[in-house]
Each structure stands twice: as C-alpha cells, then as structure tokens.
Amino acid sequence: MNAKRNVYLAPYLAWMALFIVIPIALIVYDSFFDIDGGFTFGNYEKFLTPIYLKMTVSSLWYAFLITLFSLLIAYPAAYALTKMKHKQLWLLLLILPSWVNLLLKVYAFLGIFGTYGFVNGALEALGIGRQQILFTDFSFVFVSVYIFIPFMILPVYNALEDLNPSLVFAARDLGASGWTTFRKVVFPLTLDGVKAGCQAVFIPALSLFMITRLVAGNRVITLGTAIEQHFLVTQDWGMGAAIAVFLIIAMVVIMLLTGTGQAGRVRR
C-alpha cells in the first residue's frame, strides 16, 4: 500500500523539485557571486544599506495598502454576492477581468488616466480641470487593487458560502446587533478566507515591477523593480538574486503568519 502511494506521490515530488526547489537553490547560489563572478557576501551587506532598506519598507508599505484596500472592497462585495440571485453568474463577471492579459489591462488604464483620457475628460466637464493622475502613488495603488481584487473576492466568497446561516440567526435571536454578529460570528468564521485572500494579494504585490514602471512612472520604487534592474540592466545577477532571496523569505514569513489552521472560532 505504501509503495503504491509513493508511486502516485512521485510526479508531485518531481514537479516540486523541478519548479520550486531547484530554482530557489539556483537563486540562493547566484546571490553569493558578484558581477565579476567572484564569491562574496557583499550582496547581502549591500542589501542592508539604507537605500535598499528604504526600498524594502516602501515595498512592504505599498503591498500592505494594496492588500488593505482590496480587502475593504472585496469583503462587502463577496458578502453581497452571497445574497444575490444568479450569484455564480455575477461571480464570473467579477473574476472575468483576471482572464485578460495583465499588460493589456495596464495599458487600458494608461488611456483612462491619461491627460486626454476618460477620467480627465470627466473632470474637465465638471469644471475641475485636467489633473495629473498617471505617474502618482494613487494611480499605482488604484490599478494594483483593481488587478488583485478577484484574488481577494474568491476565497472570501467561498468562506462566506460555507458559513452556517443558523449561527447568524442564533446570534440575532439572542439579541446581538448586526455589527456584533458580524464582529463575533461572521468575521471569525470567515477569517481563513480572509487570510487566504491576503496571501494571494500581499505576496505578489510585494514584488510588483511592471505596474510601477508603466503606471507609476518609476516614482514608486519597489524590490521587484530593483530585481528587474539588476537582472536586465546592470547585469548584476548576484545582487538581484540576493534581493530575491529576501523576497522569498518575506513570502514564507507571510504565509506562516497568515497560515490557516482550524476553522475560525466564535468569540465569546
């Protein structure tokens, strides 16, 4: 029985080794070499300098903002979906944009937020006048939230769908207000979905680089942007790999902190 189980497990282990373990090992290996191919710990020492530490704080901050706004929008949207008729159709319409190529969506926002785009045209019609919307922190966070919202809605929606409605009815029958019911019953029981959504948004948001370049115009500098620069421009693969190692560690820490264990418990 164990031998048969190991046979079925072999393809999975081979996949994990080929596409996860080996690439991470190569990144760690490259991080110990300088631009001339010499072995060094200098890449990690350079990463601890103020410029990279500031870049790290900036990346964490923007990833936090993107995750927070995605959650604030996605949770009410997911809750409303569970109350709608034909909710599967509405859910499909919400996640449909995630099937569109990311680059196409980013270029669409370049036109929408551009000087002569739809938003500035509306502002001018309202008498406000044209504004500089592109190449700002606002445009970067807005576009990022738009892109990542489907990945937040799905796990939250599934958690809300799995919630036993009799628990909500019982709380209301016992005199709990709507807010108290949400705070002590609904949210704790859907916390695993929230954690899964935060993982799905925060981790990729931590290493964004294309949106920072096209929408933020390099006004927002993240670790993802630095990795791109070192691999494609300066050709300092060792420094780029060292930054990537930090991102991998940060992602593992986030997964551990937001790991889902037992189902959420109702708070007393």
Side-chain angles (χ1 to χ4, degrees):
M1 186 68 180
N2 289 334
K4 186 177 181 180
R5 185 174 60 183
N6 291 336
V7 170
Y8 289 126
L9 192 61
Y12 172 75
L13 294 176
W15 178 276
M16 294 284 288
L18 185 61
F19 294 104
I20 297 179
V21 177
I22 293 177
I24 290 177
L26 288 174
I27 290 174
V28 174
Y29 175 79
D30 285 340
S31 68
F32 290 105
F33 291 90
D34 59 25
I35 195 170
D36 297 319
F39 183 85
T40 181
F41 289 101
N43 293 324
Y44 290 97
E45 294 176 359
K46 187 176 179 180
F47 181 78
L48 296 176
T49 57
I51 184 171
Y52 284 101
L53 292 178
K54 182 179 179 181
M55 200 179 298
T56 301
V57 172
S58 177
S59 299
L60 292 170
W61 172 245
Y62 282 112
F64 169 76
L65 287 179
I66 293 167
T67 305
L68 176 63
F69 288 126
S70 296
L71 178 61
L72 291 177
I73 297 171
Y75 202 104
Y79 183 81
L81 276 175
T82 61
K83 306 300 180 183
M84 289 181 175
K85 292 182 179 180
H86 311 297
K87 52 190 172 184
Q88 296 297 333
L89 175 62
W90 287 108
L91 181 64
L92 176 63
L93 293 176
L94 280 173
I95 66 175
L96 195 60
S98 65
W99 299 355
V100 180
N101 183 273
L102 176 61
L103 189 60
L104 292 178
K105 289 187 286 188
V106 172
Y107 274 115
F109 274 103
L110 292 181
I112 293 172
F113 286 157
T115 304
Y116 299 99
F118 172 80
V119 174
N120 266 314
L123 292 176
E124 189 173 31
L126 293 172
I128 299 175
R130 298 185 183 275
Q131 305 293 321
Q132 178 61 46
I133 302 175
L134 277 180
F135 312 133
T136 62
D137 292 358
F138 166 79
S139 63
F140 169 67
V141 174
F142 185 95
V143 174
S144 300
V145 169
Y146 167 79
I147 289 171
F148 286 122
I149 271 183
F151 303 104
M152 182 69 78
I153 287 180
L154 279 174
V156 173
Y157 172 82
N158 290 331
L160 287 168
E161 277 287 275
D162 292 339
L163 179 65
N164 188 345
S166 62
L167 297 174
V168 178
F169 297 147
R172 299 306 298 269
D173 289 342
L174 292 172
S177 64
W179 169 245
T180 302
T181 302
F182 171 78
R183 183 168 56 89
K184 293 192 174 183
V185 178
V186 177
F187 188 76
L189 291 175
T190 57
L191 192 57
D192 283 349
V194 172
K195 289 179 179 180
C198 289
Q199 283 185 6
V201 174
F202 189 91
I203 291 176
L206 194 58
S207 55
L208 286 173
F209 69 91
M210 184 176 67
I211 299 177
T212 59
R213 186 170 299 283
L214 295 177
V215 177
N218 284 337
R219 286 175 56 88
V220 176
I221 304 297
T222 64
L223 293 178
T225 309
I227 292 174
E228 181 204 20
Q229 287 288 316
H230 284 302
F231 273 97
L232 300 181
V233 180
T234 66
Q235 298 293 306
D236 189 355
W237 289 20
M239 189 62 217
I243 301 172
V245 169
F246 169 80
L247 280 179
I248 292 171
I249 295 172
M251 292 173 185
V252 171
V253 171
I254 294 301
M255 292 180 68
L256 292 175
L257 292 176
T258 58
T260 56
Q262 296 179 337
R265 300 175 181 177
V266 179
R267 297 179 184 176
R268 296 181 180 178

